[in-house]
Amino acid sequence: MDRQQISRLAHAHHPIAAPLADGSVARLLDRAMAGTEQGRALDLGCGEGAWLLRALGAGPGWRAVGVDLDAAALTRARESAAALGVARRIGLHHLDAREFTAEEPFDLVLCVGATHAFGGLLPTLAAARELLAPGGRLLVGEGFWQREPSRAALDGLGAAREDFADLATTTERVLAEGWTPVFGLVSTEQDWDEYEFAWTGSLAEWVLDHPEHPDAAAAREAADRHRTGWLHGYRGTLGFVTYLLRRD
């Protein structure tokens, strides 16, 4: 079972692929789209389009573009857009986010939980700068160390100590790149627990419902490994911050 399929199954009941509650997503989009009845939004690493579909639902005058490497996820995004009646306002591209270009800039760019597509937070900021209209806003979500990571935490994440910094240092790096945080949310422990239980639970439930599937054993192993890495490793160590940024 490939990584993209595991991710789709794991996010079946938590389409926002980050430790954010629905209320937090709504608050972030409300601030990101505030004062703009019409606009263009771009999601780099959109998956099944959950952020964009909510944005289009909240802003009837908005249009959206999503970019992702997972063709099956984009198919689901198209189906969801059709069901919600917003298919004419969204364009979806099966493409590496690093290769995406556009003739017109965007009023809002999103990359929440997908900065790995660019090699980290700072390269993501650089890419977004090229796509954002003057006065536009960037919604970006990134991990940070809530406390010094143990060996178990690093092993559970498959990460290195230098992959993240603490919240203060992460924010200072954003400022140093010429961006100003105008809003932000730090995911709570409850947000994390709900997200991780949804991730592992959805995947495990799929296995229980499809015991004869040739990928069942691999899916179960992925769920068990992820749960162990979280509960015995990075729980309480890895944080997640979502910034709403504007360029200086």
Side-chain angles (χ1 to χ4, degrees):
M1 179 174 285
D2 64 66
R3 181 178 176 180
Q4 292 177 340
Q5 185 178 1
I6 287 175
S7 180
R8 287 194 301 274
L9 293 172
H11 290 105
H13 299 290
H14 201 296
I16 296 295
L20 288 163
D22 285 345
S24 296
V25 173
R27 288 177 63 195
L28 288 163
L29 285 174
D30 182 62
R31 288 294 298 269
M33 300 167 65
T36 310
E37 293 185 0
Q38 296 182 343
R40 300 176 71 242
L42 167 68
D43 191 347
L44 298 166
C46 68
E48 297 183 17
W51 281 98
L52 294 180
L53 294 176
R54 296 187 188 202
L56 293 177
W62 280 70
R63 302 184 69 84
V65 172
V67 182
D68 204 277
L69 277 173
D70 188 344
L74 293 175
T75 296
R76 291 190 183 184
R78 292 186 182 94
E79 293 170 351
S80 297
L84 294 170
V86 298
R88 293 186 178 181
R89 292 195 282 133
I90 188 171
L92 298 166
H93 300 268
H94 182 216
L95 187 69
D96 188 318
R98 295 171 297 181
E99 299 175 2
F100 178 78
T101 59
E103 294 183 0
E104 296 181 54
F106 293 86
D107 304 288
L108 172 62
V109 175
L110 304 95
C111 187
V112 182
T115 59
H116 56 272
F118 296 92
L121 176 60
L122 300 189
T124 300
L125 298 180
R129 183 184 292 273
E130 300 302 316
L131 296 164
L132 199 62
R137 295 171 175 139
L138 168 63
L139 201 59
V140 61
E142 176 71 330
F144 68 92
W145 296 128
Q146 290 184 308
R147 62 185 182 189
E148 189 64 23
S150 65
R151 184 71 258 169
L154 294 174
D155 290 344
L157 288 165
R161 171 64 180 81
E162 59 270 19
D163 288 346
F164 303 106
D166 60 29
L167 181 59
T169 302
T170 302
T171 304
E172 288 165 2
R173 289 174 178 173
V174 169
L175 289 163
E177 292 297 312
W179 298 84
T180 298
V182 295
F183 186 58
L185 287 175
V186 173
S187 298
T188 66
E189 187 170 315
Q190 180 179 349
D191 293 335
W192 266 110
D193 287 349
E194 289 181 357
Y195 173 69
E196 297 290 10
F197 272 124
W199 199 105
T200 57
S202 296
L203 193 55
E205 190 167 39
W206 180 85
V207 174
L208 293 173
D209 291 339
H210 302 83
E212 304 303 322
H213 195 283
D215 289 328
R220 182 58 181 261
E221 193 275 334
D224 291 345
R225 183 177 65 250
H226 189 109
R227 188 187 305 106
T228 298
W230 162 50
L231 290 174
H232 295 279
Y234 62 86
R235 184 174 186 263
T237 297
L238 183 66
F240 192 83
V241 58
T242 307
Y243 297 107
L244 180 62
L245 305 173
R246 292 186 61 178
R247 293 185 297 183
D248 289 348

